[in-house]
């Protein structure tokens, strides 16, 4: 009997369900349901440390959603939930979504050359060099255009000079990215704000607008609008039953490594939990995750001065931060990671005070028809399959010598996250089920 109780306790530990059905706030009005620390089992005594850190780093707004409901919402100085602030480069993620919508509607293809929509001579390259640059290269920061010096933000042809063939070099470069707005507007015949309103803002209740700032196009909104966009992405492009993007492949590509040069970059989204990463202004490749204290499945929009949108499907968690963080980095990954260091003790019932160790496993094939093989697993564990919205789909207890897992036929084909968890460590990876 004692052995049976122990086994049952272990199963309860392994099969702790994180994903729950998502709550969506009303399209209009200020009503947004909240959930308490008590309900979640979080540690409220750790909150003052986070609040102090946010205040000391010039934060204006900070929001945490769990299962779509507000857990933390904090504003500083005279800033309120109705104040407008800029997204900086975190807004690149909206542009990525809008390009996907334009492709879904047949207005463009990301495989088209950029010159199709900007005309020949939009760069200083030869025609042969320029014709190699596609919209996909703009989305993935692989145009090969020179990103050095004062040319970083410039969109004039004399600033856009050749450094490498498109697709052969990754570099964070605002100039080619900013021209995606012109590509979208020329392809659709609409101003970007007019294009966005019926496709994204109205269905989700987002507010805000793109504003030209120098040569850049910057998005401004209230903090809760960033949270709304995060909730849409967490639910795989679906807002409370309304599928705003039907192209599942494009949605997956947005938050999947888009090239082999920088594993931690999708379509203008930063991807945690990869084997290596690159950062702006550097050609060095660093080993490991760019946010080791955050869940491995986090994908993020990050902008200068600490504009942050974090999404963790396995935790059903969204983190929004707006403000004026010190430092000049275009991508505040270190600051973002420091916020997760503060959040982990707060989420004491799920995340603990430190990031869990990572299992060193190999999963193949991926994509799969249903059966996958696991290399490197030598202990009892729980295998859990989550949907992109963080909901639990299927689970199985694995013995130490398990090497294969057969996913049941009744599970719909699509994109999932798998988690393999032991008492000491965890492994997470995206899985495509064909």
């Amino acid at each position: 009997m004692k052995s049976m109780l122990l086994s049952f306790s272990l199963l309860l530990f392994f099969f702790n369900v994180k994903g729950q059905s998502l709550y969506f706030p009303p399209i209009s009005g200020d009503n947004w349901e909240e959930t308490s620390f008590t309900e979640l089992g979080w540690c409220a005594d750790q909150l003052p440390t986070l609040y102090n850190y946010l205040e000391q780093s010039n934060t204006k707004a900070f929001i945490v959603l769990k299962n779509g409901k507000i857990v933390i919402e904090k504003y500083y100085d005279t800033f309120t939930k109705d104040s407008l602030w800029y997204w900086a480069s975190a807004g690149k993620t909206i542009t990525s979504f809008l390009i996907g919508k334009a492709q879904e509607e047949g207005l463009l293809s990301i495989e088209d050359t950029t010159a199709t929509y900007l005309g020949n001579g939009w760069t200083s390259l030869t025609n042969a060099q320029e014709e190699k640059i596609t919209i996909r290269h703009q989305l993935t920061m692989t145009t090969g255009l020179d990103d050095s010096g004062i040319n970083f933000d410039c969109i004039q042809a004399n600033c856009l000079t050749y450094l490498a063939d498109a697709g052969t070099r990754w570099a964070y470069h605002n100039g080619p990215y900013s021209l995606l707005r012109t590509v979208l507007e020329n392809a659709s015949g609409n101003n970007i704000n007019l294009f966005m309103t019926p496709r994204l803002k109205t269905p989700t209740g987002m507010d805000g607008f793109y504003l030209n700032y120098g040569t850049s196009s910057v998005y401004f909104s209230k903090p809760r609008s960033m949270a709304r966009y995060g909730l849409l992405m967490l639910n795989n492009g679906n807002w409370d039953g309304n599928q705003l993007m039907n192209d599942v492949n494009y949605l997956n590509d947005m938050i999947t490594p888009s090239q082999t040069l920088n594993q931690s970059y999708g379509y203008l989204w930063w991807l945690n939990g990869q084997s290596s990463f690159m950062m702006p202004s550097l050609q060095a490749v660093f080993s490991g995750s760019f946010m080791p204290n955050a869940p491995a499945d986090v994908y993020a929009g990050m902008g200068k001065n600490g504009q942050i949108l974090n999404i963790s499907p396995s935790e059903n968690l969204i983190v929004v931060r707006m403000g004026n963080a010190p430092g000049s980095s275009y991508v505040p990954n270190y600051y973002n990671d420091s916020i997760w260091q503060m959040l982990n003790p707060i989420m004491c019932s799920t995340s603990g005070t430190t990031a869990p160790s990572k299992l060193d496993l190999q999963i193949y094939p991926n994509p799969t028809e249903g059966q996958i093989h696991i290399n490197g697993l030598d202990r009892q564990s729980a295998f859990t399959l989550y949907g992109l919205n963080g909901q639990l789909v299927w689970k199985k207890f694995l013995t130490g010598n398990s090497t294969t897992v057969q996913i049941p036929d009744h599970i719909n084909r699509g994109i999932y996250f798998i988690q393999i968890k032991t008492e000491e460590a965890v492994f997470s990876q995206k899985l495509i089920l064909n």
Side-chain angles (χ1 to χ4, degrees), residues 53 58 105 135 308 354 361:
Y53 179 70
N58 300 318
E105 294 174 17
I135 297 172
I308 293 168
T354 59
L361 302 178

Side-chain angles (χ1 to χ4, degrees), residues 92 150-160 173-182 210-218 330:
K92 287 180 167 70
I150 61 173
N151 297 337
F152 184 81
D153 293 305
C154 181
I155 60 174
Q156 302 303 316
N158 64 332
C159 298
L160 303 173
H173 193 177
N174 270 350
Y177 156 73
S178 295
L179 285 168
L180 278 172
R181 170 173 179 167
T182 310
Y210 280 94
L211 185 67
N212 289 332
Y213 187 78
T215 58
S216 300
S217 183
V218 181
Y330 282 98

Side-chain angles (χ1 to χ4, degrees), residues 408-427:
D409 292 337
H410 71 266
I411 294 178
N412 293 332
R413 308 297 94 174
I415 305 163
Y416 298 90
F417 282 102
I418 58 173
Q419 183 184 83
I420 300 174
K421 186 176 182 181
T422 69
E423 290 184 327
E424 304 84 16
V426 65
F427 173 89

Side-chain angles (χ1 to χ4, degrees), residues 22 42 141 219 267 326 423:
L22 290 175
W42 287 13
M141 297 289 181
Y219 197 73
Y267 288 173
E423 290 184 327

Side-chain angles (χ1 to χ4, degrees), residues 182-221:
T182 310
V183 168
L184 179 66
E185 292 181 340
N186 289 346
S188 66
N190 271 324
N191 173 276
I192 193 170
N193 288 305
L194 294 176
F195 184 86
M196 177 183 177
T197 296
R199 295 167 175 84
L200 187 55
K201 288 172 59 178
T202 300
T204 62
M206 288 178 64
D207 57 42
F209 50 86
Y210 280 94
L211 185 67
N212 289 332
Y213 187 78
T215 58
S216 300
S217 183
V218 181
Y219 197 73
F220 287 76
S221 81

Side-chain angles (χ1 to χ4, degrees), residues 96 99-100 103 139 245 247-254 267:
S96 174
I99 290 291
Q103 177 173 261
L139 288 169
M245 183 182 289
D247 188 344
V248 175
N249 290 329
Y250 185 89
L251 279 166
N252 177 61
D253 291 343
M254 287 172 70
Y267 288 173

Side-chain angles (χ1 to χ4, degrees), residues 47-57 76:
L47 197 55
T49 302
L50 171 67
Y51 282 171
N52 181 65
Y53 179 70
L54 293 172
E55 184 174 20
Q56 293 301 314
S57 57
Y76 292 87

